[in-house]
Amino acid sequence: MEWIKEYWWVLIILLMVGALMNVYKDLKRIDHKKFMDNRPELPPHRDFNHKWDDEEDWPKKK
């Protein structure tokens, strides 16, 4: 058990490498071409900036 106190960081690195390998395998399983063919349509973009900028900020010239 003394080696765990000295080499705890090696166990952390092994866990991180294992997690990255699982992520890589899961990402390889994704078929991006199929997703791009069947992706849902996005609604049209609505910009509401014109509503709050109706008022004139500058004083009127006489």
Side-chain angles (χ1 to χ4, degrees), residues 41-55:
E41 289 293 323
L42 292 175
H45 177 70
R46 286 183 246 155
D47 189 9
F48 294 112
N49 287 338
H50 67 280
K51 289 185 178 177
W52 60 266
D53 202 20
D54 285 342
E55 301 164 355

Side-chain angles (χ1 to χ4, degrees), residues 27-43:
L27 287 176
K28 281 190 61 106
R29 220 180 293 160
I30 295 174
D31 187 10
H32 63 279
K33 290 181 183 176
K34 182 178 176 185
F35 174 77
M36 292 302 284
D37 290 338
N38 297 326
R39 68 181 176 187
E41 289 293 323
L42 292 175

